[in-house]
Amino acid sequence: MLHAAPAETEQERDGRMQWWRDGKFGMFIHYGLYSGLAGEVDGRKYDGCVEWIQNMAGLDSDSYAAKALPLFKPQRGCAKAWVELARDAGCKYIVLTSKHHEGFALFDSKASEFNSVKATGADIVKEYAEACRANGIKTGYYYSLLDWHHPDYDGKLALSRGISYPSGNLKTHRFGNHDAYKAFLKRQIGELTSNYGAVDLIWWDFSSRGFQGDEAWGASDLLRMVRDKHPQVVMNNRLYDAATVKDHGPMTATAREKGDFTTPEHYIPEKGVRGDWEACMTLNGTWGYSATNNDWKTPEVLVRQLADTVSRGGNFLLNLGPKADGSIPEESVRLFQAIGAWMKINQEAIYGTTASPFAEPFPWGVVTGKGDALYLIMYEMPKDGILKLPYAMQGSPSAQALADSSSVPVRQEEGGTVLDVSKIRMMPCATVVKLAGKGEVLPMRQ
Ligand code: FHN
């Protein structure tokens, strides 16, 4: 099997990955024809991840397009608003669905006329890429390897190998040949990665154990082509099969030739994942916009998911699902702005940090590290306001609350370092104390 590991030294790889490892927090954006249907087709409402509504409703692609296209009305400036919300939330990169499984591209494509420019005149990717550059945010693209609309995509074969396919197409599709589809993939990805300037990140989606890599997608060729155009690009692991959700089994580190990072979805692995990894999460249980889903998480839950992820050594990619016109649901604005308010005060405990040096979690919260400092991210006040760390520190360590720079008494005891946090003001979502000084982790007492 051909593989395309980048020809780079460990040091060169570290240099290429550095912005991504330091950035920690990204925004995922799921926008497509499904955004107009918003979880409902022919009066029937669907739950769950409604960017899959074509599959849920079993629609063939022509019927799906006939229902969805009239509802899809992107307003000029919508992508700029998404990017500005990401900026204000403290996101250092964004991953936009340039094309999801429905096969509708948000960019000008000669490879397929099924795209937003042809349908509405709007080149969403162009506006998005310009806004990312204008705001100093790294530009990422999600690209669906599945394409339920393309006549050469062998949906029957994919279905037989564990990748769902809309039942309506099984009745109507005139299946072409999958080799032609792989040539199409290379051509369209070539358009996306040539015509819109810098590409910092590609988020491939998705493979199965039975349908992956070169056989399914011409993976080595795609990896090589994108890297030739953008040598510094960071790419995920989903050109190949990998556990992504909890019940897929344990997450393993991604082999170099299969991508740069592992992608747990809808959950944060308890012990993190070896190597580079990123947990992707929704705000309310669906990636694509749903008009009826109001299961919004709270700012506290989301800030703590971010902190949990980073303290375990991962990146956190949080989703935004714009409406049919590209506008942002007000609950999404509120949640991202709340995270931004927390990040404004506590960002040094997130950006550029490393995972907690402690093997076990603490009842009061989580820890991140940076140089000779630890960041104690408290979700609750420890018993009696005394926070104990199995951490032997040298010299005269100091501690202060990030929110108001108030000093926190810290002393050394035989079992490690003790902080009296009883007087600090507990903040909404999580309260951070910076503990500065060299230290060494002590074995946890049984
Ligand atoms: O099927 C997609 C799904 O719609 C969504 O895009 C997620 C985001 O990670 N990826 C796939 C499911 O793993």
Side-chain angles (χ1 to χ4, degrees):
M1 188 140 70
L2 264 177
H3 280 149
E8 61 186 356
T9 64
E10 200 60 26
Q11 195 182 10
E12 287 165 340
R13 174 183 166 78
D14 289 344
R16 178 171 62 84
M17 293 295 293
Q18 201 58 52
W19 73 262
W20 184 88
R21 290 172 179 164
D22 287 348
K24 297 295 177 195
F25 180 28
M27 177 186 274
F28 215 166
I29 302 175
H30 276 73
Y31 185 59
L33 291 185
Y34 45 81
S35 309
L37 295 169
E40 182 174 340
V41 164
D42 296 339
R44 181 177 169 190
K45 292 181 173 56
Y46 294 85
D47 294 328
C49 297
V50 292
E51 72 284 353
W52 270 69
I53 194 162
Q54 180 184 348
N55 198 60
M56 291 168 168
L59 292 172
D60 68 84
S61 290
D62 292 345
S63 308
Y64 175 73
K67 294 174 189 301
L69 278 171
L71 302 172
F72 182 73
K73 300 183 180 345
Q75 297 308 300
R76 183 180 301 282
C78 66
K80 182 170 175 288
W82 307 337
V83 173
E84 289 169 353
L85 179 62
R87 174 201 64 198
D88 296 347
C91 298
K92 291 296 187 185
Y93 63 101
I94 305 176
V95 179
L96 168 68
T97 51
S98 64
K99 187 182 84 170
H100 205 262
H101 310 334
E102 63 188 11
F104 185 73
L106 299 185
F107 57 95
D108 192 8
S109 172
K110 302 289 177 286
S112 163
E113 292 200 340
F114 195 45
N115 67 67
S116 63
V117 175
K118 181 82 179 166
T120 70
D123 190 333
I124 308 288
V125 161
K126 183 173 184 293
E127 183 183 310
Y128 161 76
E130 288 169 354
C132 285
R133 274 193 289 279
N135 288 279
I137 292 186
K138 292 290 189 181
T139 311
Y141 297 103
Y142 167 110
Y143 186 87
S144 174
L145 298 162
L146 331 183
D147 186 323
W148 296 335
H149 180 272
H150 199 282
D152 287 324
Y153 174 74
D154 192 338
K156 259 188 206 154
L157 172 63
L159 185 60
S160 72
R161 305 281 193 85
I163 297 186
S164 301
Y165 187 66
S167 54
N169 275 348
L170 292 172
K171 299 180 195 119
T172 63
H173 230 33
R174 303 139 324 274
F175 289 98
N177 77 23
H178 202 74
D179 284 341
Y181 177 68
K182 290 195 276 192
F184 156 76
L185 276 186
K186 188 170 180 181
R187 186 176 168 213
Q188 190 173 56
I189 293 158
E191 292 176 316
L192 175 65
T193 54
S194 302
N195 302 341
Y196 294 96
V199 174
D200 299 302
L201 191 148
I202 295 283
W203 215 96
W204 306 107
D205 203 23
F206 64 93
S207 298
S208 68
R209 186 162 307 151
F211 207 48
Q212 61 175 308
D214 288 327
E215 183 203 12
W217 323 116
S220 304
D221 243 3
L222 296 179
L223 287 168
R224 203 174 288 114
M225 175 183 73
V226 174
R227 285 200 180 106
D228 286 350
K229 291 173 188 284
H230 304 277
Q232 293 305 302
V233 72
V234 173
M235 295 192 271
N236 79 351
N237 65 338
R238 294 194 180 185
L239 275 166
Y240 297 90
D241 177 52
T244 56
V245 291
K246 204 167 193 155
D247 56 14
H248 274 189
M251 295 269 139
T252 53
T254 297
R256 289 290 149 84
E257 68 270 16
K258 295 188 175 182
D260 293 316
F261 63 92
T262 309
T263 53
E265 175 172 327
H266 294 305
Y267 90 109
I268 304 160
E270 283 304 310
K271 298 283 185 195
V273 184
R274 201 165 47 79
D276 292 298
W277 62 281
E278 171 196 79
C280 58
M281 286 284 188
T282 66
L283 293 179
N284 60 349
T286 174
W287 303 99
Y289 173 66
S290 164
T292 53
N293 177 315
N294 287 300
D295 301 337
W296 301 101
K297 293 170 184 167
T298 64
E300 180 178 280
V301 164
L302 293 167
V303 164
R304 293 183 182 187
Q305 285 184 343
L306 167 64
D308 285 350
T309 303
V310 174
S311 74
R312 296 174 196 171
N315 279 25
F316 187 64
L317 186 66
L318 185 58
N319 186 68
L320 172 69
K323 298 180 178 178
D325 62 358
S327 63
I328 304 169
E330 59 186 45
E331 300 84 352
S332 303
V333 174
R334 179 173 54 79
L335 290 170
F336 273 101
Q337 286 181 341
I339 296 168
W342 187 85
M343 284 291 282
K344 210 175 184 69
I345 295 169
N346 301 290
Q347 57 186 269
E348 69 176 273
I350 300 294
Y351 297 142
T353 58
T354 50
S356 169
F358 303 101
E360 297 303 325
F362 295 101
W364 44 262
V366 296
V367 180
T368 60
K370 193 183 315 182
D372 286 341
L374 292 181
Y375 293 92
L376 316 179
I377 305 175
M378 296 165 55
Y379 299 162
E380 56 188 61
M381 180 61 75
K383 189 168 172 297
D384 305 331
I386 298 300
L387 189 154
K388 294 185 177 179
L389 287 175
Y391 195 60
M393 298 185 79
Q394 302 114 26
S396 45
S398 64
Q400 61 174 186
L402 287 192
D404 58 9
S405 306
S406 58
S407 174
V408 174
V410 53
R411 65 179 188 274
Q412 291 304 295
E413 284 186 353
E414 192 232 335
T417 299
V418 178
L419 295 91
D420 177 354
V421 293
S422 58
K423 303 284 187 304
I424 66 172
R425 186 162 55 93
M426 293 303 275
M427 304 294 289
C429 303
T431 305
V432 181
V433 171
K434 178 178 182 179
L435 175 62
K438 282 188 183 304
E440 191 178 25
V441 175
L442 297 171
M444 296 286 259
R445 281 186 172 169
Q446 299 308 328

